[in-house]
Amino acid sequence: MPEAFDWDILHRPSAMAMVRGQLGFSWMVLSGRLAQLTDEQYFWRPGSEALTVVRRHYAGRFRPLGSGEWVAQWPDEPDHRGPRTIAWLIAHLTEMFFERWEWTFGESRQGRADITLHGNARDAVAWLTYWVEAWQDAIAGLDEDAAMTIGLSQANELDASEPFGHVVLRLNRELIHHGSEIMTLQDLYAVAA
């Protein structure tokens, strides 16, 4: 069961409260839907060329993203428009939250290629939940000045050059965007099955 949302945060007039409120509410909605995710939905392909999570030796023409047996098929072009499975979307969100946490609050050693991915819905959702909640807990411990601190995250050149509030907002946008895709794929699977 997803953790309850702190509705009180919506009445706090600060930049960090706004970004934390947006993240918390968006995660509450998505995690509620992910709690019911099945393996069939997780791997369902909306098209034959849909990017997904596969065993390493099945990555095909795509670069494998991940450190273990299961990897995400990662396209070379940054604006790849092909369809994606829920498995791929969860893997992408997981690696983003993992990498940002590691390079903001962690040891700044591991990157997205070091993430462990999973071949089933239950473990993948648990791993995404772990990293989203680690990120939420870490930013909840920051004071208001942190939103304006440039370079607090060193995950990439963009993060290092902008106020930290923008980093958090970008992750929020990714969660909202890909969360919407996940929920749409769940709905499409329900009518296609």
Side-chain angles (χ1 to χ4, degrees), residues 63 70-71 76 96 114 164 167 176 178 180:
R63 289 180 293 131
W70 291 92
V71 296
D76 287 326
M96 288 187 64
D114 299 309
F164 184 65
V167 176
I176 293 165
H178 294 308
S180 297

Side-chain angles (χ1 to χ4, degrees), residues 16-36:
M16 285 303 288
M18 286 185 265
V19 297
R20 286 177 50 219
Q22 184 184 55
L23 173 60
F25 185 82
S26 301
W27 177 241
M28 177 189 71
V29 172
L30 178 57
S31 62
R33 289 288 295 267
L34 290 176
Q36 305 303 316

Side-chain angles (χ1 to χ4, degrees), residues 40-54 58 73 83-85 185 189:
E40 291 76 19
Q41 290 172 330
Y42 180 68
F43 281 119
W44 181 66
R45 288 178 180 249
S48 61
E49 295 294 313
L51 297 173
T52 192
V53 171
V54 295
Y58 291 118
Q73 295 174 311
R84 299 167 288 211
T85 64
L185 286 169
Y189 174 84

Side-chain angles (χ1 to χ4, degrees), residues 1-2 30 43 46 81 90 102 114 125 143 147 157 160 183 190:
M1 185 71 175
L30 178 57
F43 281 119
R81 297 278 181 208
I90 288 175
E102 172 71 12
D114 299 309
V125 169
D143 63 27
E157 288 182 26
M183 291 185 284

